[in-house]
Amino acid sequence: MSYLLCEKVRALEPYEPISGTYRIRLDANESFYNMPKEIKEEIKNIIDNIDFNRYPDPTAKKLIACFADYYGINPDHVTATNGSDEMLYLLASAMLEKESRVVVVDPDFSMYGFYSFLSENAVYTYEKNNCLNIDIDDLLAFAAENNADMIIFSNPCNPTGQGITAQQARKLVKGCGNCLVVLDEAYMDFWDQSLLSEAADYDNLIVLKTASKAVGSAALRLGFAVANETITKALRSVKSPYNVNTLSQEIGSCIYRHKQLLAERRDQIIRSTRELYKGISEIVGNYSLPFRVYEPCANFVFVETDNAGDIFEFLLDNSIAVRYFKNADALRITAGSDEENREFLVNLDRYVIEKILKRNR
Ligand SMILES: *Cc1c(COP(=O)(O)O)cnc(C)c1O
């Protein structure tokens, strides 16, 4: 007899983002801003003062205070994790019993289903309508039919860039009282329909935030869950004690204190996303292409087209990385700097002229 991996992990492959180096990276919804020099100087001083021989603060007190202050919420309702990813895994595993019933939506962030699979939950997938929207009454009925213990989805949605309003989100949370609702607001900095400031008013809601997108700190791996004190106590109890390392706690605290810079950059990213959307729509309009371009409320643009795979390869050949969704025949293009957006649009235009128009001539 020899050791055999358990069946559920046998066929799994490690997560592999686009490998290789590309001139322009518009594939991971990151901020196109690096930290400015002044903040990097502050960070150098912070590092000078770290006690490397000591464990981190398990309560991440300072970090949580700075995060809560930035968003104007009560720090007693916040749990910090090693990226939102850690919290997603905890929600699927520790916060639910085995064989619990989890409702996810499609299309959406694939990690929700993945962690539920690992945790041996039963996953039920609600398919979005033809416009990639969620009908709340429909979703409520779906959750009731399937006796859901948890509903989890991103708002605004990754990858579609579409969202439900705060009013709709409230209706959902109030409509399924005995079911936990997790709203992943990773991209809500770019839109104004958040339930963050009222998350603690409900007994069945958790709102997730991250430093990886609008805050431009994907390198730090910082995620936050906001909920009432009962849920917060449970989340703080199930996380591993030293989950957020001291470097990320200290640097994150510093970054969230730069409120004005963060707000300016968020606004610039929103502006850049609009420009990108406009640019893509113009190309599609100019050539009357059968592409569907979705007006975004996040920092990326979602485009459905039969040419998605071909465009993806063409862009890679020109050292531009975007995200390709094979099953959906779609591309997700993260907003970049003006220069990066221009390069992308020039190459999209070239693709259309060289590959689509020539073929049809
Ligand atoms: C990027 C993203 C996150 C952030 O995850 P981190 O682990 O905090 O980097 C969370 N949810 C969604 C939907 C995302 O797209």
Side-chain angles (χ1 to χ4, degrees):
M1 289 289 270
S2 60
Y3 171 70
L4 200 57
L5 287 167
C6 76
E7 194 180 343
K8 73 178 172 189
V9 302
R10 219 173 287 160
L12 295 180
E13 299 282 345
Y15 181 74
E16 205 181 336
I18 290 178
S19 53
T21 38
Y22 298 95
R23 201 160 42 93
I24 297 179
R25 293 286 306 264
L26 306 176
D27 60 309
N29 296 346
E30 296 147 329
S31 169
F32 57 83
Y33 289 112
N34 199 339
M35 282 302 148
K37 234 184 155 135
E38 314 84 77
I39 296 190
K40 284 192 168 170
E41 284 305 319
E42 275 182 61
I43 291 171
K44 284 181 195 163
N45 284 330
I46 288 169
I47 292 173
D48 271 345
N49 289 303
I50 283 178
D51 292 329
F52 280 85
N53 53 325
R54 302 297 177 196
Y55 280 105
D57 170 12
T59 67
K61 193 158 189 278
K62 183 160 73 179
L63 172 66
I64 284 177
C66 295
F67 168 86
D69 185 52
Y70 180 67
Y71 287 105
I73 58 174
N74 182 342
D76 295 338
H77 301 150
V78 182
T79 307
T81 49
N82 183 24
S84 305
D85 254 305
E86 184 194 4
M87 182 53 77
L88 294 178
Y89 205 171
L90 288 173
L91 290 169
S93 55
M95 293 297 284
L96 293 177
E97 284 174 337
K98 193 170 154 182
E99 289 165 19
S100 288
R101 305 161 78 87
V102 176
V103 166
V104 299
V105 304
D106 187 64
D108 200 0
F109 195 42
S110 61
M111 299 315 280
Y112 311 136
F114 175 68
Y115 289 131
S116 268
F117 162 78
L118 285 184
S119 308
E120 304 183 24
N121 301 319
V123 177
Y124 300 86
T125 305
Y126 168 88
E127 300 291 339
K128 292 185 187 173
N129 64 22
N130 183 40
C131 302
L132 300 184
N133 286 323
I134 294 172
D135 180 314
I136 294 300
D137 290 319
D138 227 30
L139 178 59
L140 275 168
F142 184 84
E145 252 165 58
N146 292 299
N147 225 338
D149 297 297
M150 179 168 96
I151 304 176
I152 181 166
F153 61 94
S154 54
N155 189 42
C157 167
N158 172 15
T160 68
Q162 308 301 291
I164 60 167
T165 63
Q167 204 49 48
Q168 290 173 310
R170 280 182 203 112
K171 186 174 178 187
L172 176 70
V173 178
K174 289 177 186 160
C176 57
N178 57 355
C179 169
L180 179 64
V181 177
V182 181
L183 290 178
D184 185 347
E185 295 193 351
Y187 300 95
M188 195 53 93
D189 300 74
F190 306 117
W191 202 32
D192 60 359
Q193 298 296 316
S194 181
L195 291 200
L196 188 70
S197 60
E198 62 197 84
D201 300 342
Y202 302 91
D203 66 4
N204 61 329
L205 175 64
I206 300 178
V207 176
L208 303 182
K209 296 289 295 175
T210 177
S212 301
K213 306 289 155 60
V215 177
S217 300
L220 296 179
R221 312 299 303 121
L222 289 175
F224 301 89
V226 181
N228 68 39
E229 286 179 27
T230 309
I231 294 176
T232 298
K233 184 173 174 222
L235 295 176
R236 290 176 178 182
S237 306
V238 297
K239 78 175 187 65
S240 70
Y242 304 116
N243 58 333
V244 183
N245 73 72
T246 304
L247 283 158
S248 293
Q249 287 194 31
E250 291 291 338
I251 297 170
S253 303
C254 162
I255 288 168
Y256 277 109
R257 278 197 218 106
H258 288 276
K259 292 186 192 179
Q260 200 190 331
L261 179 88
L262 293 182
E264 280 167 14
R265 289 183 156 192
R266 175 202 62 211
D267 292 346
Q268 285 301 318
I269 294 169
I270 292 171
R271 190 197 49 77
S272 157
T273 311
R274 278 204 212 105
E275 292 295 312
L276 180 64
Y277 169 71
K278 218 172 84 194
I280 296 172
S281 300
E282 269 167 23
I283 292 173
V284 168
N286 283 347
Y287 303 111
S288 304
L289 301 169
F291 291 20
R292 194 158 172 188
V293 189
Y294 288 84
E295 187 166 1
C297 50
N299 66 331
F300 50 85
V301 182
F302 190 68
V303 182
E304 289 173 335
T305 156
D306 291 344
N307 301 83
D310 213 32
I311 296 173
F312 172 71
E313 294 296 338
F314 180 89
L315 292 169
L316 280 188
D317 288 343
N318 290 283
S319 205
I320 301 173
V322 300
R323 183 70 194 268
Y324 168 44
F325 295 93
K326 197 168 189 230
N327 295 334
D329 284 328
L331 297 171
R332 188 195 67 199
I333 306 107
T334 308
S337 65
D338 290 345
E339 184 56 35
E340 289 171 330
N341 287 351
R342 192 157 41 240
E343 278 276 328
F344 165 81
L345 292 169
V346 164
N347 278 279
L348 180 64
D349 196 69
R350 265 186 55 217
Y351 172 88
V352 175
I353 292 171
E354 290 175 22
K355 307 282 177 175
I356 299 185
L357 301 184
K358 262 198 191 134
R359 198 191 306 147
N360 293 344
R361 214 179 271 159

